[in-house]
Amino acid sequence: MPRVLRKPSRHLPFGDRRETPYYGRDILSVSQFRRADLATIFSVAHEMREMVERVGSFDLLKGKILANLFYEPSTRTMASFTAAMERLGGSVIPISEVHYSSVAKGESLPDTVRTLECYADVIVLRHPQIGAAAEAARYARKPIINAGDGVGEHPTQALLDLFTIVEEMGGVDGLTVTLIGDLRYGRTVHSLARLLAMHDVSMRFVSPPLLRLPDALRDELRAAGAKFQEHEKLDEVLGLSDVLYVTRVQKERFEDPAAYEAVKDSYVIDSELMRGARNDCIVMHPLPRVGEIAMEFDADPRAAYFRQMEYGMFVRMALLALVLGKA
Ligand code: NCD
């Protein structure tokens, strides 16, 4: 008999399943996590970091296969899931050129995921439509990991963002975290703000009026009792921020190119500006950057965005091990 992966109801929060709470589960939104889940994921990620530093690769997921299904461009997310799987001894089916796959023949998302799960144990999906990962998960028996659903969420990025803060700052509670740029279309911001709202954090949202947080998310944060303020000027909060989380203005989400041009250069982090920031702060960015952080700043020890990418692989190793029941 083939072993069929158990896929319990996705409506339960992670922590509600006592025995093997992560095995076979989808990762669709950060809202499915509680603080205890974050602690588990981060402790496994920390072990993954130590193992990679010691031995590079090991066979925890030997024989397991991951399908990377990307309908939108990606460098880091796709490469880090591939590296994570291969460092754990597993292998990867890469489908990033969907126009060369049967998607170009008109195949639906449900059929594409039901195809890939015949071959793979877990599917990582990036798609331009909000809710696409949830839709895929309704059809798939194997776990779906949301690697970005349009302007919706990017839960694994938010987990690695929070892990970066934990590793670099020694914890999250008590910090002032300032999120800058495209708060409207930036899915990494949407997911990270929800995770930060579970902590004792003061959030500062800095954006031009056009790119403010979506109303529904603002209401959600308020209902969760999150501490936050919105600003248009970065200098109002620069000196009091422990973490500066800078984002790209999401050009591909704009209907009107002139509107993008009007806001694209709203904030630029450079060495001169950073003289006004704390010496012990960190600057993060999910990347890619297209001008919001000057390259001259890269040599500053506060520039954490390259380290952040490396933390991402450890977090994705942890998530794969947990979802495939090996951690
Ligand atoms: C982000 C994304 O795809 O949402 N990139 C990433 O996964 N690191 C951010 C962006 O594209 O600006």
Side-chain angles (χ1 to χ4, degrees):
M1 274 291 284
R3 187 159 148 265
V4 177
L5 201 64
R6 191 162 48 123
K7 189 155 172 174
S9 162
R10 274 161 236 96
H11 304 298
L12 290 175
F14 254 51
D16 274 10
R17 294 196 58 82
R18 296 252 147 86
E19 333 89 86
T20 52
Y22 306 92
Y23 173 57
R25 302 296 299 267
D26 303 307
I27 298 176
L28 302 179
S29 159
V30 291
S31 307
Q32 72 194 73
F33 299 114
R34 302 288 171 266
R35 272 188 76 149
D37 299 311
L38 302 178
T40 304
I41 294 165
F42 294 167
S43 106
V44 178
H46 197 84
E47 280 173 43
M48 294 296 181
R49 178 184 185 176
E50 286 176 353
M51 286 296 281
V52 169
E53 281 165 7
R54 258 203 338 261
V55 295
S57 307
F58 46 104
D59 278 346
L60 192 68
L61 296 183
K62 191 173 161 56
K64 298 284 183 194
I65 298 177
L66 173 152
N68 256 338
L69 177 59
F70 280 66
Y71 291 74
E72 277 190 343
S74 170
T75 300
R76 273 149 291 271
T77 306
M78 195 169 52
S80 66
F81 267 112
T82 300
M85 195 62 184
E86 292 190 355
R87 281 188 186 275
L88 292 169
S91 48
V92 179
I93 302 172
I95 302 197
S96 47
E97 301 279 350
V98 285
H99 43 280
Y100 292 126
S101 75
S102 286
V103 170
K105 301 179 188 167
E107 187 167 65
S108 67
L109 180 62
D111 280 2
T112 303
V113 297
R114 283 182 293 196
T115 303
L116 288 174
E117 72 177 355
C118 296
Y119 313 129
D121 302 287
V122 55
I123 298 172
V124 175
L125 172 69
R126 170 169 290 185
H127 196 280
Q129 269 158 19
I130 195 162
E135 192 204 353
R138 273 196 294 280
Y139 290 90
R141 284 177 301 117
K142 306 271 177 78
I144 299 288
I145 299 181
N146 181 5
D149 60 331
V151 298
E153 279 219 35
H154 194 346
T156 68
Q157 177 72 42
L159 290 168
L160 80 86
D161 292 339
L162 198 68
F163 184 64
T164 302
I165 298 175
V166 171
E167 295 283 292
E168 297 262 324
M169 309 298 277
V172 184
D173 288 324
L175 298 181
T176 297
V177 180
T178 297
L179 297 99
I180 304 157
D182 191 344
L183 312 181
R184 177 177 181 184
Y185 298 122
R187 56 193 172 197
T188 72
V189 168
H190 304 163
S191 292
L192 181 58
R194 291 185 171 106
L195 283 187
L196 290 171
M198 297 176 198
H199 297 81
D200 176 23
V201 164
S202 166
M203 280 184 268
R204 304 300 185 115
F205 295 112
V206 180
S207 72
L210 181 71
L211 300 180
R212 286 178 66 191
L213 281 187
D215 293 341
L217 178 56
R218 187 181 305 103
D219 294 345
E220 189 186 319
L221 295 177
R222 239 180 236 131
K227 283 187 284 179
F228 67 91
Q229 284 179 37
E230 297 181 272
H231 306 262
E232 210 182 315
K233 292 205 168 65
L234 178 56
D235 56 15
E236 290 170 10
V237 293
L238 186 65
L240 53 88
S241 303
D242 298 295
V243 176
L244 295 161
Y245 187 90
V246 187
T247 62
R248 171 178 75 90
V249 178
Q250 309 277 297
K251 182 179 185 184
E252 65 276 28
R253 312 288 180 207
F254 283 72
E255 274 165 25
D256 174 10
Y260 168 73
E261 290 298 323
V263 291
K264 69 173 191 199
D265 294 322
S266 299
Y267 311 97
V268 178
I269 305 290
D270 58 17
S271 302
E272 168 68 28
L273 177 111
M274 286 301 290
R275 282 203 207 129
R278 296 172 55 140
N279 283 332
D280 58 355
C281 76
I282 55 168
V283 177
M284 297 173 60
H285 193 307
L287 301 174
R289 65 174 157 186
V290 288
E292 10 359 282
I293 304 179
M295 277 177 73
E296 59 165 35
F297 183 67
D298 297 351
D300 190 303
R302 295 173 293 178
Y305 30 94
F306 295 118
R307 301 192 291 274
Q308 188 180 346
M309 284 190 277
E310 224 181 312
Y311 293 128
M313 186 180 74
F314 306 134
V315 168
R316 288 175 173 136
M317 289 173 80
L319 292 173
L320 291 173
L322 287 162
V323 161
L324 293 172
K326 296 285 183 185

